[in-house]
Amino acid sequence: MSSMEEREIELLIGPQHPASGHMRLVAKVDGDVVVELRPNIGYVHRSVEKLAEVKKYLQIIPLVERPSLADTTANNLAYVMAVEKLLGIDPPERAKYLRTLLAEINRIHSHLYGLGIHGVMIGSSTAYMWCFGDREPFLELAQELTGARLTYSYIIPGGVRRDLPAGFGERAERVLRYMENRMKDYFDLYFNNPVVRARLEGVGVLSRDDAIRLGVTGPNLRASGVAYDVRRAEPYAAYPELEFDVVTEQAGDSFARVMVRVREIVESMRIIRQVLRKIPEGPILHENYEKLIPPKLREEMKRRGMVKFPSVFANLRVPAGEAISRVEGGRGEVVFHIVSDGKLSPYRMRMVTPSFRNVILFEHLTRGVRVADIPAIYGSLDYFPPEADR
Amino acid sequence: MRIDDLRVEIEARLRDLGAEVGSREPNILEVRVGRERVVEAAIRLRDMGLDHVKAVTAIDYPNERFEVVYVTSSYSNPELAYFLVNLRVSLPYDDPRMPSLVQVWPSALYQEHEEHDLLGLEFEGNPRMGERLLLPDDYRGTPPLRKEFKLRTEGIDA
């Protein structure tokens, strides 16, 4: 062995590292400099793709939500959009706005989740507690809309499950005003804090070219100056009718990645306000399915604003064919590729989550950094382990 | 850009490789090519601005063939970002190997690795071949995403 090889040792980081979940990083280090790092993405929710082959189309909705607990709407929506493409139906306008509303509420709490975890990774437990505390009002809004706290299963083929509750707009406005005032505190405590900036600025720099080459997605891509957002590239739901900016930063470092998320929270709040102002009246379920509901139940559904699943949904048959859908989730692009042979379950379902696409960054960004920088980079990627192993 | 223009351009670029180009949905193009020409086809697609892979899907049609689909698109060219170009390769069932496209699209690294792990496909040139990604290191037996691997189910299915 050469003297160089003798100096290198293998260092296992995780899976018990705070906030890393079951991710294990296998690092080769020379002193405290990382020579090479290989992520080992572990096992939690495996076999979503295989299970989908034996579940009916409707049963798959809660299945695809599970891997991404902080951002379940994106998976729910992307999956249903692929099924709708195969069915050849388009949801009513009101349902599109409601989907957008939930997706944006979800984006905010996904970002706050990511920022909180990032805080604890670099030693700011106050940031962690603030972010997790401030997620709560958004979770409550989502709960009021859908009846569930995290895994909503709100979006169904042809529409959504519930209408907007009475007085939702005023309550949402109160939450948004609270968050706007709160932003200033975050900057005072955290983002303008010299210690935080010293740990993040210039650390884990991802160039624009590398971000494109490696197929990075979401805020991590936009932090390197690429203005790609599925909501603009292939608009879906109510996004074509709403105004918002695609947030980008140029530096590509850990701080830029965090800042993109913070600025996206502001954009999401802007979208939520527009949705509540512009949402049209009308049905929330496609007429083809609505008319399958017995008249008495249909009346009650309209009165209460809640959809009782038409029983025919249990055996929803989807025409043979292939569909690919993409959605901009909190952490980036979610892609579903469904191959149907006309039976009750998909023949093949491929689910590609943003965290899985961003795994490649662990080895790319950590080459040559100090061991102490690993948590700062890790946290800035907003990586969610169960999303990668699915 | 209209999808027909893109289709014509891809057809012109890949004609000598024997590629078949078809369209599906308003923004999806299907490019079918033989496995011996797939690297060259990928290079030409990349050079026209399709700079990353969004998904690698492999489908098992038992005793017939595997079909590998690279879903590609563009980050650097906003006009192309709306389109998805699927590069499709059929692999014989008894010899499911093809050249890896990682040298062309590094973004395919983990996705090819996953299909290798769960479907038993070989991507020659992918540095992760022979390693496990999601399955236990000592796993032996049928790759779980193959159709011959039957999931055990339990409980009542109404």
Side-chain angles (χ1 to χ4, degrees):
Chain A
M1 265 204 282
S2 71
S3 60
M4 196 59 204
E5 278 171 309
E6 282 167 17
R7 288 164 54 115
E8 285 176 14
I9 57 164
E10 192 173 78
L11 179 68
L12 300 179
I13 302 170
Q16 284 83 22
H17 188 271
S20 79
H22 54 281
M23 172 73 130
R24 183 177 70 151
L25 303 173
V26 184
K28 269 197 199 126
V29 293
D30 176 5
D32 74 338
V33 175
V34 179
V35 180
E36 191 195 340
L37 183 138
R38 282 282 291 273
N40 183 335
I41 64 183
Y43 327 98
V44 170
H45 288 281
R46 277 187 309 147
S47 66
V48 166
E49 289 181 10
K50 185 70 181 176
L51 276 173
E53 292 175 12
V54 295
K55 298 279 177 203
K56 293 172 183 172
Y57 279 94
L58 212 61
Q59 293 174 318
I60 297 171
I61 293 176
L63 187 66
V64 298
E65 284 183 334
R66 290 306 182 276
S68 174
L69 283 177
D71 189 22
T72 54
T73 310
N75 292 11
N76 185 181
L77 180 55
Y79 168 72
V80 168
M81 275 168 54
V83 174
E84 283 174 347
K85 277 187 184 182
L86 288 165
L87 290 167
I89 56 171
D90 210 20
E93 280 303 304
R94 189 172 176 83
K96 287 185 184 173
Y97 273 81
L98 289 169
R99 288 175 174 192
T100 309
L101 175 65
L102 186 64
E104 293 306 319
I105 291 173
N106 220 171
R107 188 182 318 278
I108 294 175
H109 81 66
S110 167
H111 281 349
L112 286 172
Y113 179 98
L115 292 169
I117 295 286
H118 180 249
V120 84
M121 278 198 181
I122 64 166
S124 171
S125 49
T126 310
Y128 168 70
M129 286 185 273
W130 281 15
C131 287
F132 270 60
D134 290 341
R135 271 173 82 220
E136 212 54 39
F138 290 97
L139 286 175
E140 280 180 14
L141 281 184
Q143 185 170 336
E144 204 182 327
L145 184 63
T146 67
R149 198 178 137 80
L150 279 175
T151 50
Y152 311 115
S153 302
Y154 178 66
I155 298 160
I156 53 175
V160 295
R161 252 184 333 102
R162 288 184 180 202
D163 207 340
L164 208 58
F168 184 89
E170 292 88 76
R171 286 189 291 281
E173 182 56 38
R174 268 212 303 277
V175 171
L176 298 182
R177 273 206 303 272
Y178 164 79
M179 194 64 209
E180 273 165 356
N181 293 331
R182 190 73 167 140
M183 280 292 186
K184 189 179 163 302
D185 298 339
Y186 279 96
F187 276 88
D188 289 346
L189 170 89
Y190 195 65
F191 304 118
N192 289 335
N193 181 332
V195 179
V196 171
R197 295 186 82 128
R199 291 212 56 189
L200 300 182
E201 281 178 334
V203 173
V205 178
L206 178 67
S207 70
R208 185 177 191 277
D209 286 349
D210 283 341
I212 292 172
R213 204 170 53 85
L214 299 173
V216 173
T217 181
N220 298 339
L221 174 72
R222 294 190 283 277
S224 295
V226 182
Y228 175 88
D229 188 313
V230 185
R231 293 174 294 175
R232 281 271 189 262
E234 188 187 345
Y236 55 94
Y239 291 110
E241 286 138 59
L242 302 172
E243 278 173 33
F244 63 96
D245 294 325
V246 175
V247 176
T248 55
E249 292 274 339
Q250 301 303 321
D253 57 7
S254 299
F255 190 69
R257 288 189 280 275
V258 172
M259 282 321 286
V260 167
R261 291 191 176 91
V262 176
R263 290 175 52 205
E264 282 189 357
I265 292 178
V266 178
E267 288 301 318
S268 290
M269 293 199 284
R270 189 174 153 201
I271 295 176
I272 291 174
R273 282 208 172 98
Q274 290 177 60
V275 167
L276 291 171
R277 206 174 57 237
K278 292 168 80 171
I279 185 165
E281 292 297 325
I284 57 168
L285 187 64
H286 193 276
E287 55 180 5
N288 284 4
Y289 297 121
E290 205 177 284
K291 68 185 179 203
L292 296 172
I293 305 173
K296 215 170 161 190
L297 277 175
R298 203 184 314 154
E299 281 311 305
E300 195 186 331
M301 180 189 106
K302 287 205 167 138
R303 194 171 49 78
R304 296 177 60 211
M306 289 183 194
V307 172
K308 159 112 173 45
F309 276 131
S311 52
V312 69
F313 261 32
N315 286 325
L316 187 70
R317 220 174 259 277
V318 170
E322 271 188 45
I324 300 176
S325 64
R326 49 177 164 163
V327 154
E328 187 71 34
R331 301 189 190 89
E333 190 174 29
V334 183
V335 179
F336 273 87
H337 185 166
I338 298 180
V339 181
S340 163
D341 57 357
K343 297 208 176 108
L344 292 172
S345 307
Y347 185 77
R348 170 83 164 101
M349 187 189 84
R350 176 84 172 129
M351 169 183 179
V352 180
T353 55
S355 289
F356 184 54
R357 278 171 66 184
N358 288 340
V359 167
I360 200 164
L361 285 177
F362 282 95
E363 44 193 302
H364 181 76
L365 292 181
T366 48
R367 226 165 276 139
V369 304
R370 304 249 172 209
V371 171
D373 286 335
I374 292 176
I377 295 173
Y378 188 138
S380 76
L381 299 178
D382 196 9
Y383 174 78
F384 193 66
E387 214 185 70
D389 65 28
R390 288 156 287 133
Chain B
M1 184 187 275
R2 292 178 318 137
I3 190 161
D4 293 337
D5 301 337
L6 185 62
R7 183 179 170 162
V8 169
E9 189 180 341
I10 291 178
E11 270 171 345
R13 280 175 186 254
L14 302 185
R15 187 167 296 134
D16 58 317
L17 300 177
E20 292 169 32
V21 185
S23 56
R24 192 160 60 74
E25 301 182 31
N27 64 335
I28 299 184
L29 280 176
E30 306 281 0
V31 180
R32 197 174 281 281
V33 70
R35 62 174 159 176
E36 59 289 344
R37 304 280 181 82
V38 66
V39 176
E40 184 56 34
I43 290 172
R44 293 186 197 178
L45 290 175
R46 183 200 59 194
D47 291 348
M48 63 180 283
L50 296 160
D51 48 35
H52 71 285
V53 170
K54 288 191 192 298
V56 178
T57 312
I59 308 152
D60 174 13
Y61 296 103
N63 301 324
E64 194 185 336
R65 68 197 154 93
F66 288 101
E67 182 133 319
V68 185
V69 187
Y70 289 78
V71 181
T72 73
S73 188
S74 182
Y75 281 154
S76 47
N77 181 347
E79 258 196 277
L80 279 178
Y82 171 60
F83 297 101
L84 299 176
V85 177
N86 299 342
L87 183 62
R88 304 180 85 103
V89 187
S90 287
L91 304 180
Y93 209 78
D94 50 4
D95 180 29
R97 60 180 67 233
M98 65 174 278
S100 163
L101 300 184
V102 168
Q103 301 305 323
V104 187
W105 286 306
S107 43
L109 177 69
Y110 276 89
Q111 306 227 14
E112 283 183 357
H113 190 184
E114 191 187 1
E115 300 307 281
H116 166 70
D117 197 22
L118 300 181
L119 267 156
L121 310 183
E122 293 290 331
F123 296 89
E124 289 161 342
N126 183 317
R128 304 289 161 83
M129 290 300 102
E131 291 178 30
R132 292 290 182 198
L133 179 71
L134 293 168
L135 293 174
D137 287 340
D138 57 354
Y139 182 84
R140 300 279 177 276
T142 311
L145 272 181
R146 289 203 182 179
K147 289 288 175 184
E148 63 190 285
F149 184 99
K150 294 290 176 217
L151 270 181
R152 276 187 307 159
T153 53
E154 57 182 47
I156 303 160
D157 201 12

